[in-house]
Amino acid sequence: MTLSLIFCLIATVIPVFFSRISSAPTWLSLQALALGWITLSDDFSAHTLLLGLEVLLVRAVLVPHLLRRALKRQAQSRISLMPSNFFTWGIAVMLIILAFKFGDGARADVRALTLGVVAATTVIALLILSTNHEPKAQLIALLFMENALALFESLMPEPWPWPVHLTISAVYVLTVTIGCHLLGGEPRPSVPAAKETP
């Protein structure tokens, strides 16, 4: 499970420092693969198997596909996910270090690492929300935060019942669908009309 948590952290941290908005669906898919790996490595029951399948189908396939299709219609999806300067990078590094301090109180390696990854993903999402005003970046930050909440669920002693899982998945897909619809409906820069000559 430690390896899958490290993989999830890498898939969260690298796009913030080095990626553009257009590549965010790929990183979301990698985060979802790590979540599926964590879910299936917990215990191998029918509930866990169906939950892992749901995570892979919804978070690794469907949602990145919808987001990728919406970003292809955007002219400026090649901009960075977070401003590329030393000031914001320094803040991001400090927030990640601070986030892992929250896991110190757990005193169990896997639990502490899980809490650290959850906190790091959450503060990274908040940093993107505060430094990038583009609606595309803010939607991606919201999806990062949702993946952090899904990872936090793995710390619960008993998994949520199926109606709760289906409701959360429905809200997740609905959020992405509305966000992609709003991205598609963004006004394009208007060309000034030529002046009429009398």
Side-chain angles (χ1 to χ4, degrees), residues 21 24 28 67 71 81 135-145:
I21 290 177
L28 285 168
L67 189 59
L71 291 177
L81 194 57
K136 300 174 284 293
Q138 298 203 348
L139 176 61
I140 291 163
L142 191 65
L143 298 180
F144 273 38
M145 197 175 297

Side-chain angles (χ1 to χ4, degrees), residues 95-96 98-100 102-103 114-125 148:
L95 286 174
I96 291 169
L98 182 63
F100 273 93
F102 288 116
T114 305
L115 287 173
V117 173
V118 168
T121 306
T122 303
V123 296
I124 284 172

Side-chain angles (χ1 to χ4, degrees), residues 67-167:
L67 189 59
R68 190 174 290 113
R69 201 172 64 179
L71 291 177
K72 280 183 180 177
R73 298 195 297 260
Q74 297 294 310
Q76 296 179 340
S77 58
R78 301 254 337 137
I79 61 175
S80 296
L81 194 57
M82 190 178 73
S84 298
N85 57 58
F86 285 117
F87 181 70
T88 53
W89 282 15
I91 291 174
V93 170
M94 293 300 292
L95 286 174
I96 291 169
I97 293 170
L98 182 63
F100 273 93
K101 291 294 182 184
F102 288 116
D104 284 349
R107 298 298 177 207
D109 291 339
V110 175
R111 186 175 176 83
L113 184 58
T114 305
L115 287 173
V117 173
V118 168
T121 306
T122 303
V123 296
I124 284 172
L126 292 173
L127 185 62
I128 295 171
L129 286 171
S130 62
T131 57
N132 196 331
H133 66 279
E134 289 287 331
K136 300 174 284 293
Q138 298 203 348
L139 176 61
I140 291 163
L142 191 65
L143 298 180
F144 273 38
M145 197 175 297
E146 171 56 35
N147 283 342
L149 293 174
L151 179 58
F152 184 73
E153 184 194 349
S154 68
L155 293 172
M156 297 174 62
E158 293 293 330
W160 285 330
W162 268 108
V164 177
H165 281 299
L166 293 177
T167 304

